[in-house]
Amino acid sequence: SVEPAVISMQDPTAFTSLEHLVARIAQAMPSGANAGELPRDLPGLQRHLDACNLRLKQENRRVLLALDEYEQIDVKIGEGVFPRDLLPAIRESIQSHRQITWLFAGSHEITELAHAEWTSYLVSARTIEVPPFTPQETRLLLTEPLKHSQLWKDPATRPRFSPEFWGEGGIERIQREADGWPHLLQLIAETTVDLLNNEGAAAVTPALLERALDS
């Protein structure tokens, strides 16, 4: 019942102008919008989100509207590409569109952004910090990555990797190399498994892990 709509603020179709951003948000929503129907300004975006919110409520669905690298919005406000009115428009949507949850993903706190009073506009937003994985969390990710999936009713049939699959000390080595950062852990693991599959091997060897890290 929850659908993600993800927009990267490093995408030129999102950050080149306010018209581009408004259209990109409309396109990303599950209800979508045809090229001829795309809103071109903030009032048009508000009307589009009003309609989406009403439809979602009728269908008992919700949307997670995620803006990745959201700091780029602040940069573009500073450059005059986006107007400051963008932030109160987002605040209005946060407060009035209850079927739409806005998520701003980035590596900076809103208090670090210099070109607008983000804390005033996102007063109802909540900050969630994603810290590095602990060794225990890394072991869980690499041995039971689908532990919480609902697709397998019988836990015995759920895909898993034995610790031995990663080789002696392999899990610990991956944790050290990634320093626990989730995206790096997943990248190293994915690269390692790809190499292993290409070579038709049954388990990770120290040499194979080194090649994965080099890659």
Side-chain angles (χ1 to χ4, degrees):
S1 62
V2 179
E3 298 184 51
V6 182
I7 300 170
S8 171
M9 290 310 303
Q10 293 187 336
D11 183 346
T13 64
F15 70 69
T16 305
S17 68
L18 177 66
E19 181 177 340
H20 280 91
L21 176 61
V22 166
R24 185 71 186 83
I25 292 174
Q27 287 178 316
M29 296 297 290
S31 58
N34 297 324
E37 303 172 346
L38 292 176
R40 299 179 177 274
D41 52 23
L42 292 176
L45 177 62
Q46 178 71 13
R47 289 191 294 271
H48 183 81
L49 294 179
D50 284 343
C52 289
N53 188 71
L54 178 60
R55 187 179 303 111
L56 290 166
K57 186 175 182 179
Q58 292 170 344
E59 298 172 356
N60 194 29
R61 293 189 299 136
R62 297 178 61 204
V63 167
L64 182 65
L65 179 56
L67 301 181
D68 194 20
E69 305 291 347
Y70 83 104
E71 298 96 333
Q72 185 75 355
I73 297 176
D74 188 70
V75 171
K76 292 303 177 180
I77 289 175
E79 294 175 355
V81 176
F82 294 158
R84 292 181 181 272
D85 288 344
L86 174 60
L87 294 184
I90 291 175
R91 178 177 62 185
E92 175 62 22
S93 178
I94 291 174
Q95 295 176 345
S96 63
H97 299 135
R98 307 310 298 173
Q99 304 302 114
I100 301 172
T101 299
W102 289 73
L103 187 152
F104 301 88
S107 57
H108 293 77
E109 293 271 5
I110 59 174
T111 54
E112 299 179 71
L113 305 183
H115 300 294
E117 293 293 332
W118 283 77
T119 53
S120 298
Y121 296 115
L122 300 187
V123 65
S124 59
R126 181 171 53 173
T127 299
I128 301 174
E129 183 178 354
V130 182
F133 278 12
T134 64
Q136 294 76 20
E137 289 171 326
T138 295
R139 177 171 289 270
L140 178 63
L141 173 70
L142 297 182
T143 58
E144 296 189 72
L146 297 168
K147 180 176 181 178
H148 301 290
S149 172
Q150 300 299 309
L151 296 179
W152 286 270
K153 303 304 180 185
D154 181 2
T157 64
R158 186 181 297 123
R160 55 170 50 85
F161 298 91
S162 69
E164 292 74 24
F165 170 83
W166 296 100
E168 184 177 355
I171 293 177
E172 292 76 13
R173 175 74 189 282
I174 293 173
Q175 168 74 6
R176 289 198 305 273
E177 292 290 344
D179 200 24
W181 288 104
H183 62 292
L184 292 179
L185 287 167
Q186 294 178 77
L187 180 60
I188 293 172
E190 178 185 14
T191 305
T192 302
V193 171
D194 284 345
L195 284 176
L196 183 141
N197 287 337
N198 289 339
E199 298 181 8
V204 178
T205 64
L208 188 143
L209 182 55
E210 288 296 334
R211 292 200 302 276
L213 291 170
D214 288 344
S215 177

